[in-house]
Amino acid sequence: MLEVDDADIVPHFQRVAISGEDTSGVPLEDLREASVALVKALSIREKYMSMAMQSFPRTTHRFLHSVQKGTLLRPSRDSTDLYHPINPPSTNDPFQCDFIQDGGFRMKPVGGVMYVYRDEEALLNNQPLDFPYPKLAEFLSDQNIMFALMSDGPMKSFSFRRLAYLSSKYKLHTLLNELRESASQKEVPHRDFYNVRKVDTHVHASSCMNQKHLLRFIKSKVKHRPDDLVCKGKDGAEMSLLQVFESLNLSAYDLSVDMLDVHADRNTFHRFDKFNAKYNPVGESRLREIFIKTDNYNGGKYFADILKEVMDDLEESKYQNAEYRLSIYGRSTSEWDKLAKWAVDHHVYSDNVRWLIQVPRLYDVYKSNNLVKNFQELLDNIFLPLFEVTNDPKTHPQLHAFLNHVSGFDSVDDESKAENTMFDKDSPLPENWASLENPPYAYYLYYMYANIISLNHFRRERGLNTFVLRPHCGEAGPIHHLITGFMLAENISHGLLLRKSPVLEYLYYLAQVGIAMSPLSNNSLFLNYHRNPLLEYLSRGLLVSLSSDDPLQFHFTKEPLMEEYSIAAQVWKLSSVDMCELARNSVFMSGFTHLVKRHWLGPNYTKEGVAGNDMSRSNVPDIRVGFRFETFLEELSNIFQSVKGFAADMNEDGDVTANGQK
Ligand SMILES: *[C@@H]1O[C@H](CO)[C@@H](O)[C@H](O)[C@H]1NC(C)=O
Ligand SMILES: *[C@@H]1O[C@H](CO)[C@@H](O)[C@H](O)[C@H]1NC(C)=O
Ligand SMILES: *[C@@H]1O[C@H](CO)[C@@H](O)[C@H](O)[C@H]1NC(C)=O
Ligand SMILES: *[C@@H]1O[C@H](CO)[C@@H](O)[C@H](O)[C@H]1NC(C)=O
Ligand SMILES: [Zn+2]
């Protein structure tokens, strides 16, 4: 077994140990075959993560390194600071920042990915800067390997057994150590579940307020600002807020939560279309346009106002934080500037909030409305402004300031929509993708990922912050979305379908991919609450966190995140240790900067195992953290030892019999 950092810090608790040589419960040859396959899959993920400057667990990295010395790229994770070079000081003006000089770079999309050239001459000579990224052919071949692994028989039964073992081991652990764990929590002064930091790791900004809040807000605007000009009517004349309400035959007094009708209900189960209609208050797209859009006739003023109210609530609660998703659609290149102008002009900022940019997968809609010619145009609209502002911030000053607070990209839409094509070597390149058909999920993600890599290299060279990819993945639809997520995403939202693929679930465990789950939202949409796999994932040690997703549709109170925790605790009888562990996970997988996380979790938080846990801040007992880490090491050593044995046999006589003996 490899050494552990600070191995001397070992808490005392009752350990569950399995004795004997072979503890996997499958035939030796199956163990070897499965292990080799798992190692292969993990090294694929590591490659994609390190290329994109995204994180990968250090322990898994060390194990990988021990079996394939020299073949790995630079170590990931060790230099967390590097990935977040900019920690904007929380001065009076968070949008104040330094402007670097025009770098004089040129850029051009090549095969769907933006290339950067040192100058005009390099562009003419076709000599781009060397920003390595996995080329299309490489991605497709890795994808094929992953597909083959997923359907491998021994691998399936092996993973299934290991997951069952992990569940049982956790049950025994709780049985034996529950009292110790809660006693050690009581020993920590001041800290309890209410004052540990928690991050709502997945919320859509347009529905981050609850229905009552939205109602109150609308009423107060109608009452106090009836003369605000808010839109243009059918005849092209400006309309005031009061006129809009008159035209709808509504008065502020009449308006009720029932009339607003934004809450998900029984009718939305498995009906994403109906669910999306719920985004429109009173079923009126005009009200949505006026109140919850950043880009409308009054410059998104109302949306900024209500968002600031929500953020004030977060600040007041102090320990709750959120990562809100704002949309960039890719219909035009001016979207970024408008969004940044909205944020900066209305001063939409809070120390408790980080932004993610969600890109809906709606190429087919824009294409059929003639908004874009081909998929490349959509990519250009999304990425070109980002490369321009990286080259010369003065070209988009507000965007430059806004990007400091953006931590990454999300990919959203209904995953259960049918995909008629697979992403393979016959798929057209983005510039040739001009049909009305929507590209498949993997296609969207690959091109987003490749462009983000190029952008990250470029931004790092310019000393600017970089971005991660954290898509919605595995909520519904085909399971292979989770393969794409495993290869390309730093962490994901939902991951519900992992429960249907033991191999993938086990891999998500071994790579400790963060999963933001929203059991309440999925209760309304796809999966009844008690069948949600969150508890199972947590007990097995997957890195899961709780998030609220759409408080406007699902929640009732002013603290939607607490509502999530509270319901989860009631339904699944979670202990305070479990809740604090979920909260710690949420901080860990969030996009808050390194400095902030250090402040919240302790100076050593990037260390793994007990050494990285500061109980006086996380309120998670060392016993729990120790248990998780020891279990994790045990799993990895099981797999890697049998691979090493395999490799050794190979070296000795270059030939191995089925059971690895000569
Ligand atoms: C509003 O009410 C008036 C009179 O009650 C009615 O004539 C009109 O059709 C209504 N308009 C709408 C949009 O319901
Ligand atoms: C889970 O809930 C989110 C939030 O709306 C939704 O977008 C997603 O489709 C749901 N997925 C499942 C599988 O329930
Ligand atoms: C998830 O993404 C964030 C960046 O947004 C990163 O800091 C964090 O380490 C990731 N978590 C995991 C478990 O990969
Ligand atoms: C962090 O690690 C250092 C060195 O291992 C140790 O001296 C220090 O006490 C640790 N700090 C906390 C808060 O655990
Ligand atoms: Zn969502």
Side-chain angles (χ1 to χ4, degrees):
M1 190 184 282
L2 299 185
E3 303 112 64
V4 185
D5 281 351
D6 305 81
D8 46 321
I9 326 174
V10 180
H12 172 70
F13 64 96
Q14 291 279 312
R15 288 175 169 75
V16 183
I18 311 292
S19 63
E21 283 281 289
D22 168 29
T23 57
S24 67
V26 296
L28 200 56
E29 58 195 286
D30 282 10
L31 170 63
R32 291 203 161 168
E33 209 173 298
S35 301
V36 170
L38 287 166
V39 169
K40 178 76 203 163
L42 287 172
S43 62
I44 289 180
R45 174 165 168 91
E46 156 140 75
K47 177 174 76 181
Y48 286 83
M49 289 303 101
S50 66
M51 275 190 175
M53 301 172 202
Q54 306 194 94
S55 60
F56 189 77
R58 229 176 343 200
T59 311
T60 317
H61 167 79
R62 262 187 280 142
F63 273 99
L64 273 175
H65 198 68
S66 72
V67 292
Q68 39 176 215
K69 284 205 175 58
T71 61
L72 289 173
L73 298 157
R74 74 192 86 79
S76 42
R77 227 339 145 67
D78 278 299
S79 39
T80 316
D81 315 66
L82 250 188
Y83 304 147
H84 304 288
I86 291 203
N87 284 298
S90 196
T91 54
N92 296 333
D93 184 1
F95 292 111
Q96 172 125 45
C97 56
D98 293 337
F99 281 80
I100 46 176
Q101 292 298 314
D102 179 357
F105 294 88
R106 294 285 177 275
M107 35 258 156
K108 184 179 77 173
V110 177
V113 181
M114 203 66 76
Y115 279 33
V116 180
Y117 301 82
R118 187 67 207 82
D119 46 30
E120 193 66 38
E121 195 187 330
L123 177 65
L124 290 175
N125 296 334
N126 210 7
Q127 290 169 322
L129 297 182
D130 182 26
F131 292 161
Y133 74 98
K135 300 285 184 307
L136 183 59
E138 186 177 355
F139 172 78
L140 293 174
S141 112
D142 288 338
Q143 186 184 249
N144 283 341
I145 296 175
M146 292 294 297
F147 271 119
L149 296 185
M150 281 329 98
S151 46
D152 180 64
M155 177 106 157
K156 276 193 204 158
S157 59
F158 177 75
S159 304
F160 180 79
R161 278 163 181 275
R162 293 318 295 176
L163 289 172
Y165 169 78
L166 286 171
S167 296
S168 313
K169 188 174 177 191
Y170 175 76
K171 276 206 194 88
L172 275 176
H173 169 81
T174 338
L175 198 64
L176 298 172
N177 297 295
E178 205 166 10
L179 291 178
R180 268 197 197 84
E181 282 185 348
S182 75
S184 80
Q185 267 194 334
K186 286 180 194 128
E187 277 164 22
V188 179
H190 177 68
R191 206 52 77 185
D192 56 32
F193 171 70
Y194 288 94
N195 64 18
V196 297
R197 311 283 173 163
K198 31 196 119 44
V199 181
D200 197 342
T201 42
H202 162 204
V203 206
H204 302 279
S206 58
S207 49
C208 70
M209 67 304 279
N210 67 51
Q211 49 175 353
K212 180 74 189 161
H213 187 170
L214 180 61
L215 181 74
R216 191 164 20 97
F217 183 83
I218 293 179
K219 285 190 173 191
S220 100
K221 288 292 175 199
V222 178
K223 190 159 166 203
H224 298 295
R225 325 239 357 148
D227 301 326
D228 280 5
L229 297 174
V230 291
C231 66
K232 281 218 163 112
K234 285 193 196 79
D235 51 3
E238 286 182 315
M239 284 176 88
S240 72
L241 190 56
L242 191 63
Q243 284 167 330
V244 170
F245 273 77
E246 280 167 0
S247 76
L248 297 172
N249 275 359
L250 282 174
S251 75
Y253 177 79
D254 294 338
L255 213 50
S256 70
V257 160
D258 299 332
M259 211 184 259
L260 213 52
D261 193 26
V262 289
H263 236 225
D265 54 29
R266 260 174 298 181
N267 296 325
T268 52
F269 197 67
H270 274 288
R271 288 295 302 274
F272 206 87
D273 51 343
K274 284 201 176 168
F275 173 71
N276 267 344
K278 292 274 181 188
Y279 270 111
N280 296 330
V282 205
E284 269 297 326
S285 61
R286 205 176 321 165
L287 289 191
R288 180 180 180 184
E289 176 76 27
I290 293 171
F291 285 98
I292 41 187
K293 286 273 178 193
T294 56
D295 171 23
N296 59 16
Y297 195 74
N298 67 355
K301 168 135 189 10
Y302 290 165
F303 185 44
D305 285 349
I306 192 165
L307 211 48
K308 281 193 278 187
E309 290 181 14
V310 174
M311 296 193 303
D312 284 345
D313 287 345
L314 282 180
E315 284 172 19
E316 199 179 310
S317 75
K318 181 165 172 192
Y319 297 97
Q320 293 178 43
N321 305 275
E323 298 185 280
Y324 293 136
R325 269 69 171 165
L326 293 167
S327 297
I328 288 288
Y329 298 90
R331 288 173 301 203
S332 87
T333 38
S334 59
E335 285 174 20
W336 278 107
D337 285 327
K338 286 185 185 153
L339 182 64
K341 179 175 166 40
W342 167 80
V344 175
D345 284 356
H346 298 294
H347 204 87
V348 190
Y349 172 84
S350 160
D351 282 340
N352 295 44
V353 168
R354 293 283 292 175
W355 305 110
L356 269 96
I357 299 301
Q358 62 177 22
V359 182
R361 295 186 297 277
L362 292 176
Y363 161 81
D364 52 339
V365 175
Y366 313 146
K367 173 70 190 177
S368 57
N369 289 312
N370 275 326
L371 294 168
V372 295
K373 284 199 305 290
N374 51 35
F375 193 73
Q376 181 62 52
E377 199 173 322
L378 180 104
L379 287 174
D380 286 349
N381 290 339
I382 297 170
F383 287 103
L384 198 56
L386 299 176
F387 281 84
E388 284 170 2
V389 72
T390 304
N391 174 44
D392 182 7
K394 281 180 223 67
T395 54
H396 309 262
Q398 289 177 320
L399 180 55
H400 178 64
F402 175 64
L403 286 178
N404 264 333
H405 308 288
V406 173
S407 55
F409 291 86
D410 194 346
S411 170
V412 297
D413 199 33
D414 182 4
E415 284 187 69
S416 60
K417 273 200 295 213
E419 285 178 17
N420 300 325
T421 50
M422 283 296 289
F423 183 22
D424 55 25
K425 60 180 182 359
D426 299 326
S427 308
L429 286 173
E431 70 242 38
N432 300 327
W433 191 294
S435 67
L436 284 176
E437 176 124 26
N438 208 22
Y441 183 84
Y443 191 91
Y444 270 98
L445 250 63
Y446 172 75
Y447 284 106
M448 277 182 79
Y449 166 88
N451 281 293
I452 290 172
I453 291 196
S454 180
L455 181 64
N456 279 353
H457 279 291
F458 191 26
R459 287 183 71 83
R460 191 157 77 168
E461 186 153 317
R462 306 283 287 149
L464 301 171
N465 62 326
T466 59
F467 305 113
V468 300
L469 178 61
R470 296 169 58 186
H472 281 53
C473 182
E475 172 174 30
I479 290 185
H480 62 74
H481 291 183
L482 284 161
I483 296 184
T484 313
F486 181 76
M487 292 170 68
L488 304 179
E490 167 141 45
N491 40 49
I492 61 165
S493 295
H494 295 304
L496 285 178
L497 292 174
L498 279 181
R499 73 188 193 287
K500 300 209 169 144
S501 166
V503 176
L504 280 171
E505 190 179 335
Y506 193 48
L507 278 171
Y508 272 70
Y509 170 70
L510 294 174
Q512 291 284 293
V513 183
I515 309 174
M517 301 187 74
S518 317
L520 275 181
S521 113
N522 297 119
N523 187 36
S524 312
L525 274 163
F526 291 97
L527 190 67
N528 286 324
Y529 201 100
H530 61 277
R531 292 182 53 219
N532 189 290
L534 182 131
L535 184 65
E536 199 172 67
Y537 293 173
L538 179 69
S539 68
R540 289 171 175 169
L542 277 86
L543 202 133
V544 289
S545 64
L546 272 174
S547 58
S548 61
D549 201 349
D550 292 290
L552 179 59
Q553 275 84 21
F554 306 119
H555 298 72
F556 289 90
T557 69
K558 176 171 128 165
E559 295 184 274
L561 185 59
M562 285 308 246
E563 210 175 318
E564 283 289 338
Y565 276 95
S566 140
I567 294 174
Q570 307 279 358
V571 172
W572 292 316
K573 310 209 175 4
L574 297 184
S575 67
S576 149
V577 179
D578 300 330
M579 307 234 280
C580 292
E581 189 180 12
L582 284 169
R584 180 172 181 261
N585 286 352
S586 76
V587 173
F588 205 70
M589 69 175 281
S590 73
F592 282 90
T593 58
H594 181 51
L595 283 184
V596 172
K597 289 188 191 178
R598 273 175 55 128
H599 176 57
W600 290 351
L601 292 181
N604 298 336
Y605 86 95
T606 54
K607 292 189 180 167
E608 294 178 288
V610 177
N613 185 39
D614 180 348
M615 218 189 140
S616 66
R617 302 185 206 225
S618 69
N619 203 32
V620 181
D622 283 347
I623 298 179
R624 177 63 66 88
V625 178
F627 165 76
R628 294 283 187 219
F629 192 56
E630 286 169 23
T631 307
F632 186 56
L633 283 180
E634 190 192 321
E635 287 303 307
L636 286 170
S637 8
N638 262 341
I639 294 164
F640 281 83
Q641 247 155 33
S642 89
V643 173
K644 265 192 247 176
F646 186 69
D649 290 343
M650 289 271 277
N651 290 344
E652 272 168 38
D653 51 14
D655 176 36
V656 198
T657 57
N659 58 6
Q661 282 159 4
K662 279 171 256 169

